Amino acid sequence: MARLNAPAFNPLPAAVTGSSIDSDDDHDGGLIRRRLGRREAAARHPLRSPPGPRDLSLSDLTHTWWRKLPPALQPHELCILYPHIANRIALCWNDLALSTMLFASLLVDQRGGRQGFPAAVQAELLMLHATLRQRAEAAELHAAANEIAAADAAVATESATASAPAPV
């Protein structure tokens, strides 16, 4: 599926859709320069590989996932500042166990001394995590209801067989 780059169809800013990362325009409020700064910082760190093209723009899957979310839940800042994380969330979104592990790794500092996300990004991550928890709870309730229905059906079948007259 091709990316929709026309402004009428694409709700995300150009900085997210894969437009030129080296733009001199300041229409993004300096976000591109900040992303370039992160790229340079990663290049200086010996254990971290520099971000590739996939890390700097949203995937087609992420665009589709983003459009399917309710408008109040769409993570604008996350997609602009951390497209690689938005790509990971979109990839894991339909797997509740994997998504739960991903959000745990994003929201809990396990290495110590981490800077953390900007407040707007953290708020979006927390909203997505809350939605994920609601989906998990709904899935658990649905599974429990199915187990109860299966147990009721088994009891009904057993009692119907027990009350049937013995063959002569």
Side-chain angles (χ1 to χ4, degrees):
M1 178 161 113
R3 288 194 178 121
L4 303 173
N5 288 325
F9 297 107
N10 194 343
L12 299 174
V16 177
T17 60
S19 297
S20 173
I21 194 77
D22 297 318
S23 170
D24 289 331
D25 297 340
D26 198 28
H27 69 278
D28 65 347
L31 294 175
I32 291 175
R33 285 192 303 280
R34 282 183 271 175
R35 293 291 300 154
L36 288 174
R38 289 186 69 227
R39 182 190 318 179
E40 292 164 1
R44 287 190 303 265
H45 196 284
L47 298 178
R48 181 179 293 163
S49 60
R54 287 182 174 171
D55 297 325
L56 299 174
S57 64
L58 297 176
S59 68
D60 292 337
L61 174 72
T62 306
H63 279 272
T64 302
W65 167 78
W66 193 89
R67 283 191 296 270
K68 288 181 179 180
L69 291 172
L73 194 59
Q74 293 172 342
H76 297 274
E77 293 297 317
L78 174 70
C79 291
I80 292 169
L81 294 173
Y82 302 98
H84 63 288
I85 292 176
N87 289 339
R88 287 173 56 198
I89 292 171
L91 188 61
C92 299
W93 189 252
N94 290 327
D95 184 327
L96 289 174
L98 193 56
S99 294
T100 300
M101 289 188 322
L102 175 60
F103 276 100
S105 72
L106 291 172
L107 296 172
V108 177
D109 179 8
Q110 297 172 352
R111 294 191 272 180
R114 305 285 297 177
Q115 175 180 330
F117 293 104
V121 172
Q122 186 173 9
E124 289 174 345
L125 287 171
L126 290 171
M127 283 191 339
L128 290 169
H129 187 238
T131 301
L132 179 70
R133 283 196 325 259
Q134 290 172 351
R135 286 178 45 218
E137 290 169 6
E140 287 174 11
L141 288 174
H142 183 69
N146 285 343
E147 286 179 23
I148 291 170
D152 287 348
V155 167
T157 304
E158 185 178 302
S159 82
T161 342
S163 64
V168 182

